[in-house]
Amino acid sequence: MLGPDGVPENIAPPAGRSRPTSLRLCVAIATAGRPEVLADTLEHLSGQSRMPDQVLVCPAQASDVDLHRVSSLPFDVQIVAGGRGLPLQRNALIAASDADIMVFIDDDFLLAPDFLQEAEALMRGNPDVVVATGHVLADGILTQGLDFEEAVRIIDAAGPNRGGEWHRTYNAYGCNMIVRLQAVRDHSVKFDERLPLYAWQEDLDFSRQLAVYGEIVRSPRLRGVHLGTKRSGRSPGRRLGYSQVVNPVYLARKGTMAWSRCFHQIGRNITANCARAIRPESWVDRRGRLLGNLIGLFDLLRGVCEPERAVRH
């Protein structure tokens, strides 16, 4: 049976051939407005079979981190100063790290115990991969959200890793995104800071910037659960609705989103918000999103395509 580096397990490499050296791995979290959720996620991170070499947290404001709970963890957590808004915070995290690979996770994404071990094996064994993303066992963003205990049960029920091959994908999912930082540094790739607040589609934009320099892949061996916590300091319905329309057009003009995807996404978002505005889900501000969609369409019709205008609504 082959190990993660391609050498048969329990068999030493041939004379003169050493195993590949390990990669320095950083877990990076941008957070806003939910210190309890962040602390739960960091505490759960301590159960990894391969511990991170560095853990960085960039809060939107100082009160977003419960320093008492964070100080009791079995690893050091470095607090990174950055502006408010996901791209600003993630760019600050990149600038603060000297790691080889950065594992971006949302502050409400729980990792299976072998996630970091598998992430390192994937990136070490596939030098052409510049961005990887995993298999989300359950995604609370699609529902009213999952609580911490429920997410832990889902991970436990998944059991041992059943393996599987990675495959190419168009973009990583921002809640769990593994990035080879050398490619980022070599080509000065950044998250687009014109995308404000939650920065709708920033993960796609960042992935497609790096796609020029290597492979974007999804691996079933990288497993986790996204709580989809609704308590957030990011985007009220109207602002998110505006971004749902304007951001795809902005990215298509920029060249990081195909126009076909742009039109499909806008159409799907507006259709969903229209269909559910009369009887909206309790956890989604459908009417606010729909109003934001309409304001965004009006701006586009009058020739204005400025994603940062979302903060005005």
Side-chain angles (χ1 to χ4, degrees):
M1 180 178 179
L2 295 182
D5 54 8
V7 177
E9 290 181 347
N10 303 319
I11 299 177
R17 176 186 167 196
S18 61
R19 291 179 183 271
T21 57
S22 62
L23 298 174
R24 181 167 166 78
L25 185 152
C26 172
V27 172
I29 304 175
T31 188
R34 41 196 196 190
E36 300 86 359
V37 174
L38 171 67
D40 286 343
T41 298
L42 288 170
E43 287 176 356
H44 190 263
L45 183 65
S46 65
Q48 287 293 296
S49 58
R50 192 269 194 227
M51 297 299 288
D53 300 297
Q54 184 181 44
V55 178
L56 301 179
V57 172
C58 184
Q61 55 188 15
S63 60
D64 293 333
V65 181
D66 185 336
L67 294 176
H68 175 70
R69 287 183 64 185
V70 168
S71 65
S72 63
L73 295 170
F75 45 75
D76 290 333
V77 177
Q78 297 173 250
I79 307 302
V80 177
R84 185 181 186 86
L86 192 56
L88 282 164
Q89 289 168 264
R90 286 189 162 174
N91 284 337
L93 290 164
I94 291 172
S97 181
D98 62 354
D100 299 302
I101 56 176
M102 181 164 280
V103 180
F104 287 107
I105 59 172
D106 280 1
D107 59 10
D108 62 345
F109 189 81
L110 302 188
L111 307 177
D114 60 353
F115 189 101
L116 297 184
Q117 176 183 329
E118 292 289 346
E120 181 184 14
L122 172 63
M123 301 299 273
R124 187 178 62 190
N126 300 275
D128 290 339
V129 172
V130 290
V131 180
T133 195
H135 171 57
V136 180
L137 298 169
D139 195 349
I141 206 72
L142 305 174
T143 66
Q144 69 270 29
L146 303 169
D147 61 35
F148 178 80
E149 291 75 15
E150 185 177 4
V152 171
R153 286 195 295 270
I154 292 169
I155 291 173
D156 290 344
N161 203 320
R162 296 182 176 86
E165 298 296 324
W166 59 259
H167 61 275
R168 294 178 181 86
T169 188
Y170 192 76
N171 63 277
Y173 186 9
C175 67
N176 73 110
M177 183 163 56
I178 301 98
V179 177
R180 193 180 300 278
L181 287 183
Q182 192 60 52
V184 173
R185 297 178 186 123
D186 287 349
H187 304 288
S188 301
V189 176
K190 290 187 174 184
F191 288 91
D192 192 328
E193 295 179 1
R194 289 193 64 187
L195 305 177
L197 302 173
Y198 182 72
W200 185 259
Q201 298 298 309
E202 47 75 42
D203 47 5
L204 182 146
D205 175 65
F206 191 78
S207 297
R208 297 315 300 170
Q209 289 185 68
L210 282 169
V212 179
Y213 310 111
E215 301 284 1
I216 313 297
V217 305
R218 183 181 303 275
S219 172
R221 299 188 67 89
L222 304 169
R223 303 170 300 156
V225 173
H226 187 203
L227 274 63
T229 306
K230 300 303 184 281
R231 302 189 308 278
S232 175
R234 298 277 186 209
S235 298
R238 190 185 303 183
R239 291 177 174 178
L240 179 56
Y242 187 90
S243 296
Q244 285 180 331
V245 169
V246 173
N247 286 15
V249 173
Y250 169 74
L251 296 180
R253 289 183 174 181
K254 180 180 174 181
T256 53
M257 177 182 277
W259 279 105
S260 58
R261 283 180 176 264
C262 167
F263 294 136
H264 174 74
Q265 183 143 119
I266 292 173
R268 183 179 64 183
N269 290 332
I270 293 176
T271 299
N273 293 332
C274 283
R276 298 172 185 170
I278 297 175
R279 298 183 63 183
E281 308 94 323
S282 60
W283 61 89
V284 179
D285 180 11
R286 288 289 177 186
R287 293 169 188 171
R289 289 188 187 183
L290 181 57
L291 180 56
N293 292 161
L294 296 174
I295 296 171
L297 285 173
F298 177 74
D299 274 359
L300 291 175
L301 288 172
R302 64 191 185 94
V304 177
C305 183
E306 299 173 1
E308 56 266 46
R309 288 176 63 87
V311 298
R312 304 180 187 180
H313 302 294

